[in-house]
Amino acid sequence: MQLGTRWTSGDPIPSAVPAVLHAQIGEVDRALPVDLLGQPRPRWTLTFLEGRPLAELDTGILVELRADGSVTVLHDSEDEFG
């Protein structure tokens, strides 16, 4: 069994997150606009779907490892399952 985890965008990526996702998660974090009003940053949730890692940001951005070994970044409204 694999357990997920949660962390705040921009914070160091937890060791529980597979390294294959780190670059894309970092790119998403860097692309997020800076909130000048002091609102909390969105949080990531790591889960595993069919044994593959899936990181979802509260904003609906998904970073996932596909069955073919590629890593994709998409918005949940573009998700093939939704």
Side-chain angles (χ1 to χ4, degrees):
M1 178 163 86
Q2 293 177 294
L3 298 177
T5 190
R6 285 186 52 82
W7 71 101
T8 300
S9 171
D11 285 356
I13 299 172
S15 61
V17 178
V20 69
L21 299 183
H22 286 205
Q24 287 77 12
I25 290 170
E27 286 181 26
V28 170
D29 281 347
R30 287 186 293 279
L32 291 174
V34 175
D35 185 343
L36 300 176
L37 300 176
Q39 295 296 311
R41 292 188 59 86
R43 292 182 52 85
W44 288 98
T45 302
L46 173 70
T47 57
F48 290 85
L49 180 62
E50 297 178 358
R52 294 188 310 273
L54 170 69
E56 182 174 4
L57 193 58
D58 289 342
T59 63
I61 295 173
L62 304 170
V63 177
E64 65 179 340
L65 178 64
R66 297 286 187 134
D68 66 4
S70 65
V71 177
T72 60
V73 178
L74 60 146
H75 194 277
D76 64 1
S77 65
E78 301 169 8
D79 187 357
E80 66 187 351
F81 302 109

